Amino acid sequence: MAVALDKLARPVRDLRISVTDRCNFRCVYCMPKEVFGKQFEFLRREQLLTFEEIERLTRTFAGMGVEKQRITGGEPLVRRGVDQLVARLAPLPGINDVTLTTNGALLARMAPMLADAGLNRVTVSLDSLDDATFRAMNDVDFPVADVLEGIEAALATGLTPVKVNMVVKRGMNDGDVLAMAERFRGTGVILRFIEYMDVGATNGWRLDDVVPSAEIVNAIDSRWPLEPVDPAYRGEVAARYRYRDGEGEVGLISSVTQPFCHDCTRARLSAEGKLYTCLFATRGHDLRELVRSEISDAELDEKLRALWRVRDDRYSELRTQGTPVDLPKVEMSHIGG
Ligand code: SAM
Ligand code: SF4
Ligand code: SF4
């Protein structure tokens, strides 16, 4: 079947599915407690896509060109039976990489069953090695040690290469960059630094809070010299650098200072089945209603292709060019990053 292309000739290669909008953390830059408190109404079970529905949508997207599937959230490991979802997705024709992004809190316990279910690898978010800083950032007093244990479990069960994501926020954890680099050099873990983004409307984002990737590269390079690595494939969002002494590599995701919309091949599906063709999209297309109708596989394929065909999103590039793009935005915890 032909690969679907959007208006800017970008194929769809990467499907990210949020399996829940709930989370056991309240990271200050993602789900601030003042907004996501006791009174916050999360989705009810019947509002979530079922595993059958996710499998059907994934199979259809695979026919359009999707090869990589990422399971995210909220915190995906709090969705009951998520390993059974992995077991459904891993064997689908065309899908050659099933990964999951997690805060790592439940990973030590769940890594073996996820590996058995066919998960290829994991990305673990960890913003600091300093316990006080980390507890303040996740805002539920969760200790660093337990996340490190989750990372070790992922390495031991072959969910590799393990990537670790660190969102760097000025004045909060920018002093921890070198300690993180040192901790993961030579371990096989790929550490990636993420520029703090203006997703959603609740995190009070300011440009001053962003630590540009160039600053991070310079800091690491002056301690452990780095050299750039070519991207592994079209649409790879992380700029890669390897340590000249052979101790591995790091990545930088610079969505604020160096946007990569021209190569953006990602589609995102929220836990309630809304398709977002951009992380900064203001509205999603309701696929839950579609899969809960009597629609045939061929009709579903045509509907999804039609949605991709008209895609012309390039929010980050427009913002960098100075075009005003002041729109109501969707929360990161809703579509999973
Ligand atoms: N709960 C899982 C986790 O934290 O890995 C998966 C969902 S989380 C929304 C996915 C990724 O988005 C995490 O690595 C997180 O650090 C990142 N993220 C959340 N809010 C962000 C923001 N405002 N800017 C940049 N990255 C953000
Ligand atoms: Fe939860 Fe992940 Fe958001 Fe932190 S970044 S609040 S762990 S969804
Ligand atoms: Fe892709 Fe939208 Fe991010 Fe640009 S702003 S890279 S189109 S998700």
Side-chain angles (χ1 to χ4, degrees), residues 2 9 14 65 136 139 156 169 175 188 194 199 212 218 233 237 251 291-293 317-318:
D14 184 332
D139 215 8
K169 192 171 174 196
I194 302 183
V199 283
N218 287 339
Y233 55 90
V237 297
V291 288
R292 290 188 184 171
S293 69
E317 284 181 356
L318 293 175

Side-chain angles (χ1 to χ4, degrees), residues 58-258:
T58 302
R59 185 181 285 114
T60 312
F61 273 108
M64 293 163 56
V66 165
E67 296 167 342
K68 283 177 62 175
Q69 167 105 42
R70 177 169 297 276
I71 300 172
T72 176
E75 172 49 40
L77 298 188
V78 305
R79 172 103 185 234
R80 202 176 312 141
V82 71
D83 57 308
Q84 293 155 33
L85 175 65
V86 172
R88 283 171 178 268
L89 301 180
L92 293 180
I95 300 293
N96 55 31
D97 195 18
V98 181
T99 71
L100 184 142
T101 304
T102 172
N103 60 27
L106 300 171
L107 191 57
R109 194 184 323 152
M110 292 177 70
M113 66 174 116
L114 292 167
D116 284 349
L119 190 70
N120 294 103
R121 55 199 177 84
V122 286
T123 298
V124 182
S125 303
L126 178 61
D127 296 326
S128 180
L129 290 170
D130 178 78
D131 213 43
T133 307
F134 184 61
R135 286 175 192 255
M137 286 185 85
N138 65 53
D139 215 8
V140 293
D141 214 21
F142 198 84
V144 171
D146 292 22
V147 179
L148 291 175
E149 206 185 307
I151 294 171
E152 292 303 326
L155 289 168
T157 47
L159 293 172
T160 53
V162 174
K163 292 180 182 168
V164 167
N165 279 356
M166 172 179 182
V167 174
V168 187
K169 192 171 174 196
R170 178 83 68 200
M172 193 158 244
N173 63 342
D174 49 340
D176 302 339
V177 165
L178 288 181
M180 286 284 283
E182 182 164 36
R183 171 65 180 75
F184 292 111
R185 266 168 51 80
T187 63
V189 169
I190 302 173
L191 176 60
R192 304 189 317 163
F193 300 95
I194 302 183
E195 286 178 349
Y196 172 50
M197 288 187 287
D198 57 335
V199 283
T202 55
N203 68 8
W205 184 88
R206 297 178 319 139
L207 187 57
D208 291 351
D209 294 334
V210 178
V211 180
S213 291
E215 193 178 314
I216 293 174
V217 173
N218 287 339
I220 299 178
D221 182 59
S222 46
R223 179 78 178 271
W224 300 286
L226 293 170
E227 62 190 3
V229 183
D230 288 337
Y233 55 90
R234 179 180 177 188
E236 186 170 53
V237 297
R240 299 165 60 197
Y241 289 84
R242 75 166 75 85
Y243 292 108
R244 287 183 192 262
D245 63 5
E247 292 297 307
E249 66 175 75
V250 293
L252 293 114
I253 302 182
S254 322
S255 20
V256 179
T257 61
Q258 289 156 39

